[in-house]
Amino acid sequence: MAKLSRGTVKDFPGFDARTDAETLRKAMKGLGTDEEAVLKILTSRSNAQRQEIAAAFKTLFGRDLVDDLKSELTGKFETLMVALMKPARLFDAHELKHAIKGAGTNEKVLTEILASRTTAELRNINQVYLEEYESNLEDHITGDTTGYYQRMLVVLVQANRDPDGRIDEGLVEQDAQVLFKAGELKWGTDEEKFITILGTRSVCHLRKVFDKYMTISGFQIEETVDRETSGDLEKLLLAIVKCVRSVPAYFAESLFYAMKGAGTDDDTLIRIMVSRSEIDLLDIRREFRKNFAKSLHHMIQKDTSGDFRKALLLLCGGDDE
């Protein structure tokens, strides 16, 4: 049975790729560009439909739709429209490659994607990465990161997390005790224990472990991770814990901090809005409203402007004020 999508973007009913391709060509032809026409079409079609539009565009005009978007649009609005055109199955691998490429590594992207994706999604990422870039994601990660942070990423990239199944209460108790001894009870921290347990146990098992940990130690596991680790490893372990508890809540928090305060982290905003728009953006909106006492729609409205804002608000869908 197909999993019910909790996305805001769905297949557009009565879709006609050629008509859309013609509308887009008209919007970008000649002097000036009709940005409104471009954003209305691209935010209201599913990713699969956008691929059909790109094929029709090439068939009708002998032109590459993405190249035209890049030459006609500018700034973050251009980045958002181009991101929407990226085939869904390539999106994560592409983001990871760009996070690793060149001088400096964007740990934020590595952490966000690898901590939040399911085992099946991680396996797909590995396969696509190999096809697209002719090298292993793992090799690129180990060449570009160090220490326990690297080791935690490598564990996640194996995509061997236990599947959800019958809970073994004995193992729950044991894992909680091991984490307690490895952190709070130890002078220094045994990071390896955290890496193995957080990286390999099933999600439903870990939820029970976190509850048991609270009972044994009197601390939330997040408090211990915060106290016992630091830097990129801490951020990664916290992201894993948050995603175990609730992936939509994790993304709601990431979106909130991308917009909170001075300046906006546009890259994170675009990456999450695009990558979750057909998966769980409705759930993310609900968590956002619950945890931050304002709607995602309201915050985007307040924090962005112009065509970029219009497009993001259409992807967001309704306002939950």
Side-chain angles (χ1 to χ4, degrees), residues 121-313:
E121 286 165 342
L122 288 166
R123 285 180 183 156
N124 176 63
I125 289 169
N126 279 325
Q127 191 188 332
V128 170
Y129 200 94
L130 189 58
E131 286 164 16
E132 291 289 304
Y133 307 114
E134 293 177 350
S135 50
N136 281 313
L137 173 58
E138 184 188 323
D139 293 343
H140 278 181
I141 284 172
T142 49
D144 230 54
T145 56
T146 56
Y148 288 113
Y149 177 65
Q150 177 201 80
R151 286 162 63 176
M152 185 74 250
L153 289 174
V154 169
V155 168
L156 294 173
V157 167
Q158 302 315 301
N160 277 329
R161 185 179 291 287
D162 298 335
D164 280 345
R166 201 180 58 78
I167 300 282
D168 176 344
E169 295 296 344
L171 186 61
V172 168
E173 171 83 35
Q174 186 187 317
D175 281 350
Q177 292 286 359
V178 166
L179 289 175
F180 187 43
K181 292 191 180 92
E184 298 291 346
L185 287 186
K186 196 173 188 308
W187 181 254
T189 308
D190 185 350
E191 288 89 352
E192 200 159 271
K193 298 282 193 292
F194 280 83
I195 288 170
T196 302
I197 292 172
L198 292 177
T200 61
R201 303 293 194 257
S202 74
V203 169
C204 60
H205 173 87
L206 283 172
R207 285 178 186 154
K208 295 268 195 196
V209 171
F210 298 164
D211 291 343
K212 180 64 74 176
Y213 186 86
M214 180 73 191
T215 311
I216 293 170
S217 69
F219 299 117
Q220 294 286 13
I221 188 80
E222 288 91 337
E223 297 174 78
T224 296
V225 169
D226 191 36
R227 255 198 306 273
E228 299 291 328
T229 60
S230 62
D232 291 324
L233 176 67
E234 180 192 343
K235 290 186 189 124
L236 179 55
L237 294 177
L238 283 175
I240 294 167
V241 169
K242 286 169 184 173
C243 288
V244 164
R245 292 196 190 274
S246 163
V247 169
Y250 168 71
F251 283 121
E253 186 184 343
S254 301
L255 285 169
F256 179 76
Y257 286 108
M259 291 184 278
K260 184 180 180 284
T264 303
D265 178 353
D266 295 311
D267 288 340
T268 295
L269 193 50
I270 291 168
R271 191 174 56 252
I272 297 176
M273 294 297 287
V274 172
S275 67
R276 309 313 289 186
S277 61
E278 292 183 43
I279 299 176
D280 55 2
L281 197 46
L282 289 171
D283 297 327
I284 291 168
R285 269 171 39 188
R286 195 182 62 226
E287 292 292 334
F288 197 98
R289 182 79 188 80
K290 190 174 90 190
N291 298 332
F292 303 109
K294 57 174 75 129
S295 69
L296 176 58
H297 192 281
H298 173 81
M299 199 152 178
I300 292 170
Q301 178 88 45
K302 213 172 88 252
D303 214 70
T304 58
S305 61
D307 295 315
F308 183 56
R309 170 166 66 191
K310 281 182 197 162
L312 285 172
L313 290 174

